[in-house]
Amino acid sequence: MAFKVLCVDHVGVAVKDLQLIKQQMKDILGLDPSLPDETVEEQHVTTSFYKPSAQTEACELEFLGSTTPDGPIARFQHVALRVDDIEACLADLQAKEVPLIDKKYRIGAGGCHIAFLHPKATGLLLELTERPGGPSFKA
């Protein structure tokens, strides 16, 4: 393989009321967002990330609030796997004829390169992500 899965990057959960969830995360768990909230117009969401640990590589929780009526509905949404080279990963998956939503990466929250496998491939929505500053990241 021309790529490696490095870790579970984050778990995404679509929510009805992003502000309520943010307040609950603060009041119940004492957690503040690990990044400023970000609206990703292309995906019709505002994202709020929470790192439950001070470790820099800890898996994050991503809450997604819809910005439009056709945005994500409230439920578990996806698991994101961090890879070292998203372009090599997508090329490898395409060569294996794995069903993909994205054949090329797009820009997600935090400037990450992201692409989604079709749920037909694994039974759940998997996001591949390459973070800025990673080994193969090209700004």
Side-chain angles (χ1 to χ4, degrees):
M1 273 195 202
F3 69 96
K4 289 190 302 190
V5 174
L6 303 174
C7 62
V8 174
D9 187 81
H10 65 271
V11 175
V13 181
V15 297
K16 279 188 183 269
D17 187 339
L18 185 59
Q19 295 309 314
L20 176 62
I21 292 296
K22 289 177 65 168
Q23 191 63 51
Q24 291 172 328
M25 293 298 285
K26 178 70 173 175
D27 293 347
I28 296 169
L29 299 174
L31 293 176
D32 290 312
S34 52
L35 297 168
D37 289 358
E38 181 177 346
T39 298
V40 183
E41 295 295 340
E42 178 188 19
Q43 296 172 27
H44 308 290
V45 295
T46 297
T47 64
S48 189
F49 281 90
Y50 290 81
K51 190 176 299 233
S53 166
Q55 297 174 343
T56 57
E57 295 302 316
C59 178
E60 292 180 288
L61 295 172
E62 176 189 24
F63 294 105
L64 303 108
S66 181
T67 59
T68 65
D70 60 345
I73 60 171
R75 64 182 165 139
F76 166 80
Q77 201 208 23
H78 67 274
V79 172
L81 300 175
R82 189 179 313 170
V83 297
D84 63 341
D85 186 337
I86 198 165
E87 289 177 325
C89 181
L90 290 171
D92 188 75
L93 295 173
Q94 287 178 64
K96 293 176 183 172
E97 299 183 5
V98 173
L100 300 172
I101 292 173
D102 302 300
K103 293 186 190 288
K104 292 180 161 188
Y105 72 79
R106 50 187 154 146
I107 305 300
C112 289
H113 294 171
I114 66 168
F116 288 91
L117 277 71
H118 196 285
K120 287 190 280 187
T122 62
L124 70 144
L125 184 61
L126 277 179
E127 177 184 351
L128 304 170
T129 183
E130 182 182 23
R131 292 222 176 194
S136 303
F137 193 84
K138 298 162 198 81

